[in-house]
């Protein structure tokens, strides 16, 4: 940064939005593990204490970063086809997380949903309800979708290592896993985090779920028995 650029940056008032945008950009460039209040202050050319006027601590900074990323998700489109509306929104969320690969980890690490995440989940629940799903079915749909609503899903294990023929010893002990590994084709460039979560796999599971929910809606499905003590957000 030149002296002229630094002087111009110093003239821009520091506010919460600028702090969060700089933090997101820094995490995009260096990874979330490299993010610190001191490093962020250096990026903004301010003393670290100046940041604490806008975010109380590192956890509040991460909360704000999660909200900033979720705020990039496209709003729901209008239309009578609820599956198309929901699918489009979820795939928008996925594109956002591909732009910010660290964000899924931060969202999962929050002790409670942040305001933007709550607003997004409320909007998604509204899309299900507008599509004719009962409140009862929507409750269970939200549980079934989990983090997939936000464009990412957890995998059983990490398959992002180098590809190649399976180890003969492992293949002998685990023949079905070896068979699946030999037939699978994964696009490493489309992965959110580690694991075998490429775009095709994600959309395959998403479409199965949405079709299943629509089938239940048409059947007028209701939960026969609610599990006692069901806590949590939904």
């Amino acid at each position: 940064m030149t002296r002229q650029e630094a002087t111009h940056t110093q003239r821009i008032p520091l506010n919460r939005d600028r702090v969060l945008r700089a933090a997101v950009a820094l995490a995009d460039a260096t990874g979330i593990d490299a993010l610190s209040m001191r490093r962020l202050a250096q990026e903004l050319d301010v003393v670290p204490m100046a940041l604490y006027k806008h975010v109380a601590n590192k956890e509040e900074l991460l909360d704000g970063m999660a909200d900033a990323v979720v705020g990039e998700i496209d709003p729901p489109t209008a239309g009578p086809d609820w599956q198309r509306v929901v699918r489009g929104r979820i795939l928008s969320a996925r594109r956002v997380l591909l732009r910010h690969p660290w964000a899924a980890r931060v969202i999962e690490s929050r002790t409670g949903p942040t305001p933007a995440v709550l607003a997004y989940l409320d909007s998604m629940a509204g899309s299900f309800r507008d599509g004719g799903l009962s409140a009862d079915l929507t409750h269970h749909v939200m549980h079934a979708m989990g983090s997939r609503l936000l464009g990412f899903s957890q995998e059983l294990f990490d398959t992002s290592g180098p590809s190649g023929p399976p180890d003969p010893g492992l293949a002998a002990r685990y023949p079905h896993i070896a068979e699946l590994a030999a037939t699978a084709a994964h696009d490493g460039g489309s992965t959110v985090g580690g694991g075998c979560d490429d775009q095709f796999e994600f959309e395959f599971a998403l479409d199965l779920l949405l079709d299943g929910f629509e089938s239940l809606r048409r059947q007028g499905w209701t939960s026969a028995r609610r599990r006692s003590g069901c806590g949590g957000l939904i």
Side-chain angles (χ1 to χ4, degrees):
M1 181 182 294
T2 67
R3 180 176 299 179
Q4 183 178 4
E5 289 172 333
T7 301
H8 176 69
T9 300
Q10 290 173 349
R11 291 194 190 118
I12 302 174
L14 193 65
N15 54 39
R16 181 179 174 84
D17 179 65
R18 186 178 165 217
V19 168
L20 295 179
R21 284 189 287 107
V24 168
L26 185 58
D28 288 345
T30 64
I32 197 65
D33 291 330
L35 177 69
S36 68
M37 300 296 276
R38 182 175 296 277
R39 178 75 182 274
L40 180 58
Q42 291 174 347
E43 194 72 15
L44 288 165
D45 197 24
V46 298
V47 297
M49 287 304 298
L51 298 179
Y52 293 101
K53 296 178 182 179
H54 308 285
V55 288
N57 48 46
K58 176 75 174 290
E59 289 304 304
E60 186 174 310
L61 175 66
L62 293 174
D63 285 348
M65 292 170 66
D67 275 355
V69 168
V70 171
E72 296 180 20
I73 300 173
D74 293 338
T77 58
D81 184 349
W82 74 267
Q83 287 181 260
R84 183 185 62 80
V85 172
V86 168
R87 189 181 194 276
R89 194 92 186 278
I90 290 174
L91 293 182
S92 171
R94 182 168 174 79
R95 288 192 296 271
V96 168
L97 291 196
L98 288 171
R99 291 199 299 267
H100 309 289
W102 51 269
R105 178 175 155 197
V106 169
I107 291 170
E108 285 188 308
S109 72
R110 301 302 84 204
T111 56
T114 57
V117 171
L118 271 175
Y120 175 80
L121 294 177
D122 183 76
S123 175
M124 291 300 286
S127 293
F128 289 120
R129 296 288 285 122
D130 290 345
L133 279 67
S134 68
D136 181 26
L137 179 54
T138 298
H139 172 109
H140 296 285
V141 163
M142 298 288 279
H143 277 295
M145 292 293 287
S147 66
R148 197 174 295 275
L149 284 166
L150 284 157
F152 67 97
S153 60
Q154 295 178 333
E155 295 298 326
L156 290 176
F157 40 74
D158 187 352
T159 60
S160 60
S163 60
D167 178 87
L170 291 177
R173 279 185 288 171
Y174 312 110
H176 299 301
I177 295 295
E179 179 187 37
L180 296 180
T183 59
H186 305 300
D187 179 5
S190 68
T191 300
V192 175
C196 175
D197 183 18
D198 62 29
Q199 191 70 21
F200 177 84
E201 304 281 359
F202 187 89
E203 294 188 32
F204 176 77
L206 176 60
D207 290 339
L208 283 178
L209 286 167
L210 295 180
D211 287 344
F213 300 151
E214 173 62 11
S215 177
L216 293 177
R217 184 195 69 80
R218 290 176 180 174
Q219 297 170 30
W221 182 93
T222 61
S223 56
R225 181 180 61 186
R226 289 188 179 278
R227 182 174 298 179
S228 61
C230 180
L233 171 64
I234 303 299

